[in-house]
Amino acid sequence: MTKLSVVIDTKHQLSFDPSYGAIYSNSKTKPSHPDLRGQARLPDGQLVEVSAWRRTTKNGKPYLSLSILNVIDVAEPDDDFVATLTGLLPE
């Protein structure tokens, strides 16, 4: 079975083994945007987008606050899906 992964962040598009990923500095345009962004592959093989914000506890200790969102993983794309993707790609 061939998997087609549609990755949101093409700037840092990498392939990960299950249980691994990476995050990178994010160019913030608003203070509410994450400080770091990237992708990871869950143990079940699902690809997710990871966002992180640098925070500080009341005691002054730094930590990262995380958000994990699903990214589209298609096991066997149908012809309509492939045609749609092909139409979006530059010649």
Side-chain angles (χ1 to χ4, degrees), residues 9-22:
D9 181 6
T10 56
K11 181 178 176 185
H12 297 102
Q13 187 174 4
L14 298 172
S15 177
F16 299 112
D17 290 330
S19 301
Y20 289 90

Side-chain angles (χ1 to χ4, degrees), residues 4 20 23 37 48 52 55 60-61:
L4 171 65
Y20 289 90
I23 55 176
R37 293 188 70 177
V48 294
R55 304 278 194 230
K61 293 183 180 183

Side-chain angles (χ1 to χ4, degrees), residues 27-38:
S27 299
K28 295 173 70 161
T29 55
K30 294 182 180 180
S32 61
H33 288 176
D35 297 302
L36 305 161
R37 293 188 70 177

Side-chain angles (χ1 to χ4, degrees), residues 2-80:
T2 303
K3 274 197 170 185
L4 171 65
S5 296
V6 179
V7 181
I8 292 173
D9 181 6
T10 56
K11 181 178 176 185
H12 297 102
Q13 187 174 4
L14 298 172
S15 177
F16 299 112
D17 290 330
S19 301
Y20 289 90
I23 55 176
Y24 304 91
S25 292
N26 184 35
S27 299
K28 295 173 70 161
T29 55
K30 294 182 180 180
S32 61
H33 288 176
D35 297 302
L36 305 161
R37 293 188 70 177
Q39 291 97 27
R41 191 161 297 279
L42 299 178
D44 67 1
Q46 184 179 23
L47 186 67
V48 294
E49 180 178 347
V50 180
S51 298
W53 291 261
R54 290 182 179 97
R55 304 278 194 230
T56 306
T57 66
K58 292 179 183 178
N59 296 333
K61 293 183 180 183
Y63 72 97
L64 292 175
S65 174
L66 300 178
S67 169
I68 300 172
L69 302 173
N70 290 341
V71 175
I72 301 168
D73 259 10
V74 180
E76 293 182 27
D78 61 24
D79 291 338
D80 291 337

